Amino acid sequence: MPKATSTTNRADWRALPARQQPTYRNSKLVAAVVCELQERAPLVPVAEIKRLRRKLAKVAEGKAFILQAGDCAEMFNTPLSRLTNLIKVMLQMTIILMYGGRMEIVKLVRGAGQYAKPRSSDIDELDLKSYRGDLVNHNRPTKRARRHDPRRMLRAYNASAKTLAKIRELTTGGMADLRRIHQWNLDFVQSSAPGHRFQELADNVEHFLDFMEACGVNVRGMSALKVAEMFVSHEGLVLEYEDALVRDDYATSGHFVWIGERTRHLLEAHVDFFRHLRNPVGVKIGPKTTIEEIKAYCRILNPQNTPGKLVFISRMGASEVRTKLSPLMRAAQETSCPVIWICDPMHGNTFSHNGYKTRSMDVIKNEIEGFFEVCAELGVHPGGVHLELTGDDVTECLGGHTDEVTAERLKHQYETACDPRLNGSQALEVAFFVAGLLQRLHRGEFAIAA
Ligand code: PEP
Ligand code: MN
């Protein structure tokens, strides 16, 4: 078997072990679906992927910050109104982060393709095949629904196209205009403490825009204030699907794709497939990652040392981030590879309460703060945050400003198809928290505080 480090052909991943892949029964049907996908238009244009890479180069230089956010698992039938809520919350978070960090915020939706999930077991508690995301099977707990169906890859393409079209409409069609900032605050968020805080911020922004108009600056005419640019991202998990959408060595299933914690093995199919992509790519970095692996990812996934090409998504867990992250960051510093480090404070902090998977706000914040401390200690730019959240009023994560989600309330609006997400007001609260950290960084206070 060839070594991942010595392969040269994009198709070589097929000869390597691939974890977390669907098991299809009808190979002719798989081939027909792949053929059909190969004929389809790219979901995202290559020019936009290149544009994102340039924006990420700014992050690598320490001059911008990434907000990557969205569902753990999207579903085909989610109403578009939910997407509107997500985009509104991301716009709010962007303003909060820009205000605190005084930096450009690169916005990556975790969506328009986030339809495949790695699972810890092939079988669930009912002895059925596990749900692996809408791209693979159906969530309904029946034998038939859980069958892996290759035609779902076409539905994933269609659902991604629909989501992308809606994101474009929302971000360029007037709603993202800074003059409409007050309309982004969703009803249920408005009444929460972070909602009030956002209202005050929005008043200040509006005041400032009026002030600029009074100075004779035509703020209303500035296109930069009328639209928001959002890129889309997902875990590149099902290789048959990803491969079928590669055009000129770009994955066109989304602007940014990442390798998950469960599939990042050096000599296996995912790393080999990703090494041939020209997109900016991510790798989830858990506490078991070794120094050798970090150095190998740099070498294999960014051999030209291109700024903005490689993002390490740290997901250590709050209890380990302060001890496990710094040797790995140091290892990356020892290479000449300009990597970006961002913090996923969700996946290392999941636990179950009365059968509900959950995460607590305090622990999430603690991991983000630990991440900033380690970055400050090593002189690394904290490049962004990666969050699972929704604009909706769900009760999936515990805590919040007003202790609004208690353990007893988890069952009230627990809607996620996979992992627990922050609700709209928890999302704003995390954004204010990160903005505070960015402000401390900006003032040069961080290293001292740490
Ligand atoms: C995820 O991002 O939903 C996920 C499964 O994360 P990880 O690969 O970090 O466990
Ligand atoms: Mn998840």
Side-chain angles (χ1 to χ4, degrees), residues 72 110 117 347 359 388 419:
C72 178
R110 206 189 128 109
K117 297 309 300 172
H347 289 90
R359 293 156 174 162
E388 287 182 342
D419 286 341

Side-chain angles (χ1 to χ4, degrees), residues 71-73 110 114 117-118 235 258-262 284-285 313 315 344 347 359 386 388 418-419:
D71 276 316
C72 178
R110 206 189 128 109
Q114 181 55 24
K117 297 309 300 172
E235 177 173 351
W258 74 85
I259 307 177
E261 168 71 357
R262 291 187 179 87
K284 288 284 197 98
I285 302 294
I313 308 168
R315 34 90 80 223
D344 165 359
H347 289 90
R359 293 156 174 162
H386 176 118
E388 287 182 342
C418 195
D419 286 341

